[in-house]
Amino acid sequence: GGWGCLLLFGMLLCGLLFHTVSQHGTRVDEYSKKPNFIIILADDIGWGDLDVNRPEEKLNNTPYLNLMAEQGLRLTDFHSPASTCSPSRAAILTGRYGLRNGVTHNFAVDSVAGLPLSEVTLPQLLQKAGYYTAMIGKWHLGHNGSYGPTNRGFDYYLGIPYSNDMGCSDIPGYNLPQCLPCDRYGPQRSVHKGCYSKVGLPLIENSSIVEQPLDLWTLTEQYKSAATRIIRNAREQGQPYLLYIALAHMHVPLAPPLSPDACSSTPNGGKVYAASLREMDSLVGAVKSASDDTNKNNTLIWFTGDNGPWEKKCQYAGSVGPFTGKWQTSRGGGSAKQTTWEGGHRVPTVAYWPGRIPANTTSSALLSGMDIFPTLLSLAGVIPPSSRRYDGIDATSVLLHGEQTGHEFLFHPNSGAAGRFGDLQAVRTGKHKAFYITGAAEACGGATGRQQLHDPPLVFDLEWDKSEETPLEVGTPEYKAVAERIARRREELLWDIATDKSVSTADYSTDKSAAPCCDPRHTVCRCHTQG
Ligand SMILES: *[C@@H]1O[C@H](CO)[C@@H](O)[C@H](O)[C@H]1NC(C)=O
Ligand SMILES: *[C@@H]1O[C@H](CO)[C@@H](O)[C@H](O)[C@H]1NC(C)=O
Ligand SMILES: *[C@@H]1O[C@H](CO)[C@@H](O)[C@H](O)[C@H]1NC(C)=O
Ligand SMILES: *[C@@H]1O[C@H](CO)[C@@H](O)[C@H](O)[C@H]1NC(C)=O
């Protein structure tokens, strides 16, 4: 309902803009050409990892992203749709909450299925509208049979099917606990908690394994050259394109280029993380410069994250900035990835489009990764199927016209910290955030917290309490007004989902034979052509 109106409004606006431009008579071709889209999704990145989000600290880890923000728009109140990987990615590609698209928690190495085939994806719709669609990086929405990216709307794919800690590497990067390398000749010598030994992580091109086990240390270069090749080819073909780059950075194991001294027996964790951040940033810079060199004014680059830092990885986890979730941490446990505290889902976000997005601007509009779906479709002039309900909003006017409002209400689903996966346990509206259920992730050092139900809900004022430390007093007029509005909207949304005939159910079953394997005759499925 509301979304349809927004879409209609966006199209009217586009029409008006086009009309105005035609009257001036010069830039018609440029503006009527379908725009290119580059979505860059970092993994486990913290809101505070972007230098310009913490100017007082004078960091210099993300110079290219800082430049992109200076030439574009920094979104300071932008949220990943979930606080873990698969549900966040599913919501980005479908514009729908996990309760609708079926993906409420992560898929495994031996998952038989993935994002339900009944779901319609962003690349599918753009592909139908004449776009060339390519994806580089981590998919994590199911890899067996028809669940891979090339069957879900991408013309081309190069990347890993799930997280880079879900398999062994010939030279393992930095992780806690440290993973052992894949043994080259014999069977795996030992199995370390958190590392999978049966299957080395594969690198997949289209739907074939091209490398297994994965060499983490050359992955960045492979991604970089594939991305720049795709951007240049697309220009030669003259076809509009969608390039979705889901980085391996900043997920452990980290594998940054380090000077020999930094690699010494006791590497400084902070140094490793910072070096990895700089490596990620240089990859973003290479993509930006390839795009700037080809079709600068017709390409939107949108950088964001899939969820907050993985706190239990200690020195190998990113920074949440001021969003420290103190109510939770003072009671034990972590408050970032997996949780609905701000550190779990507020992600660093920059949108860049020379000539279209005003330079050096900042917006605190409340937005979500789910908005990428309706926004790109609107910019491309594509209307999504009306047979289903969407939760993202068209953010075109925030990106292009300085509009400062986004979602009136934004819900945050449980992603593993407490209770049932996917349940909408926290709600934002304006500066207020309400929790019906709280839960913690594992903190650095192993502390965990327990799930707590809140009736009446906890309500925080994020404007003066970014660290979510002290809830409003129940019974004050401010509390009552917020709690009532939120309760009403929550009922409406739950009813809307309960009556949604387009809800999908994901099959989370597993079977050993569904694990990707280059050559089952070799240990860790090693491709026999290698070494
Ligand atoms: C993997 O996908 C193939 C093809 O869709 C299917 O035949 C097979 O049953 C799936 N594997 C498992 C373990 O379900
Ligand atoms: C991947 O698929 C695309 C589209 O079908 C094709 O053009 C390309 O050659 C394929 N690449 C490889 C390495 O198979
Ligand atoms: C892109 O747009 C900007 C601002 O409108 C303009 O100054 C610049 O010349 C354009 N560049 C190209 C390559 O068209
Ligand atoms: C961007 O904005 C900031 C703060 O408003 C200002 O200090 C800076 O000089 C601006 N940068 C450019 C390149 O205009």
Side-chain angles (χ1 to χ4, degrees):
W3 191 81
C5 283
L6 267 168
L7 178 78
L8 201 68
F9 180 68
M11 281 168 44
L12 278 173
L13 217 73
C14 276
L16 268 174
L17 180 71
F18 184 77
H19 184 68
T20 315
V21 170
S22 321
Q23 277 185 332
H24 291 282
T26 46
R27 308 245 289 277
V28 176
D29 281 353
E30 192 180 322
Y31 278 73
S32 57
K33 224 164 62 184
K34 285 190 191 290
N36 306 308
F37 304 118
I38 302 177
I39 305 300
I40 307 178
L41 186 71
D43 202 336
D44 289 2
I45 196 168
W47 189 90
D49 286 339
L50 178 65
D51 295 344
V52 286
N53 276 349
R54 291 193 295 162
E56 65 290 350
E57 296 189 37
K58 306 213 176 330
L59 300 164
N60 191 27
N61 293 324
T62 59
Y64 290 106
L65 277 167
N66 301 346
L67 183 65
M68 211 158 103
E70 198 173 289
Q71 299 172 344
L73 170 68
R74 180 167 58 103
L75 294 159
T76 56
D77 202 358
F78 191 97
H79 300 263
S80 59
S83 305
T84 46
C85 188
S86 302
S88 188
R89 284 152 211 260
I92 288 171
L93 293 184
T94 61
R96 286 148 59 86
Y97 287 121
L99 287 183
R100 294 192 208 269
N101 68 40
V103 180
T104 55
H105 54 290
N106 284 340
F107 292 104
V109 170
D110 50 3
S111 278
V112 163
L115 173 66
L117 300 174
S118 50
E119 286 297 302
V120 174
T121 68
L122 175 67
Q124 263 173 317
L125 294 171
L126 288 175
Q127 195 177 46
K128 247 198 244 161
Y131 273 72
Y132 174 70
T133 56
M135 174 177 177
I136 295 173
K138 170 171 143 184
W139 171 242
H140 215 169
L141 290 174
H143 46 269
N144 181 50
S146 38
Y147 290 92
T150 49
N151 286 299
R152 306 311 303 275
F154 288 105
D155 292 314
Y156 176 79
Y157 174 63
L158 176 72
I160 54 180
Y162 30 69
S163 305
N164 49 333
D165 64 342
M166 293 165 74
C168 58
S169 163
D170 277 341
I171 316 170
Y174 297 100
N175 195 356
L176 273 175
Q178 188 54 279
C179 293
L180 290 175
C182 303
D183 188 281
R184 202 158 245 275
Y185 304 106
Q188 188 80 0
R189 277 170 300 208
S190 65
V191 180
H192 211 303
K193 190 171 167 260
C195 300
Y196 294 71
S197 60
K198 286 203 189 83
V199 189
L201 204 83
L203 181 70
I204 294 174
E205 188 170 34
N206 286 348
S207 52
S208 315
I209 298 175
V210 292
E211 182 181 315
Q212 190 171 21
L214 183 71
D215 183 353
L216 275 177
W217 303 83
T218 58
L219 191 61
T220 308
E221 277 310 313
Q222 297 211 53
Y223 283 1
K224 202 183 274 184
S225 60
T228 49
R229 190 184 69 232
I230 287 164
I231 293 167
R232 295 205 181 102
N233 284 352
R235 185 186 58 179
E236 277 161 31
Q237 306 291 320
Q239 197 180 356
Y241 66 88
L242 164 72
L243 173 57
Y244 168 42
I245 307 176
L247 303 171
H249 299 85
M250 302 300 301
H251 201 294
V252 289
L254 304 173
L258 285 171
S259 58
D261 64 313
C263 264
S264 67
S265 53
T266 50
N268 172 330
K271 238 185 198 169
V272 170
Y273 192 85
S276 188
L277 201 48
R278 284 194 293 272
E279 185 186 47
M280 180 205 77
D281 184 68
S282 80
L283 176 50
V284 173
V287 170
K288 176 179 182 289
S289 98
S291 165
D292 285 352
D293 289 348
T294 53
N295 26 31
K296 184 171 182 168
N297 286 8
N298 202 34
T299 306
L300 164 64
I301 305 183
W302 198 332
F303 175 92
T304 187
D306 75 330
N307 52 246
W310 203 359
E311 258 182 304
K312 75 171 192 181
K313 298 298 176 177
C314 302
Q315 70 265 36
Y316 302 136
S319 158
V320 293
F323 303 102
T324 50
K326 281 191 185 151
W327 187 93
Q328 185 63 61
T329 54
S330 67
R331 287 163 176 79
S335 60
K337 175 173 171 172
Q338 291 178 319
T339 78
T340 50
W341 299 99
E342 288 295 287
H345 50 72
R346 192 185 288 237
V347 281
T349 304
V350 176
Y352 165 79
W353 190 356
R356 297 298 301 277
I357 293 181
N360 204 18
T361 50
T362 299
S363 174
S364 58
L366 178 59
L367 293 177
S368 157
M370 288 186 300
D371 305 337
I372 291 173
F373 178 99
T375 305
L376 299 201
L377 291 179
S378 160
L379 289 167
V382 176
I383 298 174
S386 58
S387 55
R388 50 196 59 228
R389 297 177 186 169
Y390 304 91
D391 301 295
I393 60 170
D394 178 0
T396 302
S397 54
V398 175
L399 296 190
L400 305 187
H401 311 302
E403 169 70 51
Q404 287 290 325
T405 46
H407 287 258
E408 190 183 357
F409 295 93
L410 182 64
F411 290 77
H412 301 296
N414 170 40
S415 304
R420 203 168 61 121
F421 286 120
D423 275 354
L424 303 170
Q425 299 181 336
V427 194
R428 253 306 281 293
T429 184
K431 62 178 185 175
H432 293 109
K433 181 174 175 189
F435 285 86
Y436 289 89
I437 300 180
T438 54
E442 190 181 326
C444 170
T448 56
R450 58 187 188 86
Q451 172 187 330
Q452 279 190 42
L453 308 182
H454 303 281
D455 183 18
L458 292 180
V459 176
F460 294 89
D461 175 347
L462 290 183
E463 212 162 272
W464 67 267
D465 187 11
K466 289 187 169 50
S467 65
E468 298 171 284
E469 184 172 19
T470 314
L472 299 185
E473 231 173 90
V474 176
T476 62
E478 184 185 2
Y479 179 93
K480 278 194 199 151
V482 175
E484 258 168 44
R485 285 181 65 233
I486 284 181
R488 206 177 318 125
R489 179 60 193 142
R490 189 165 177 254
E491 287 302 312
E492 279 168 17
L493 179 63
L494 292 178
W495 176 251
D496 185 82
I497 293 173
T499 57
D500 183 350
K501 292 198 174 60
S502 66
V503 161
S504 303
T505 309
D507 174 1
Y508 275 99
S509 59
T510 57
D511 186 295
K512 274 188 187 132
S513 70
C517 186
C518 188
D519 189 339
R521 292 168 305 169
H522 289 75
T523 333
V524 298
C525 290
R526 188 176 293 281
C527 295
H528 63 274
T529 48
Q530 287 182 310

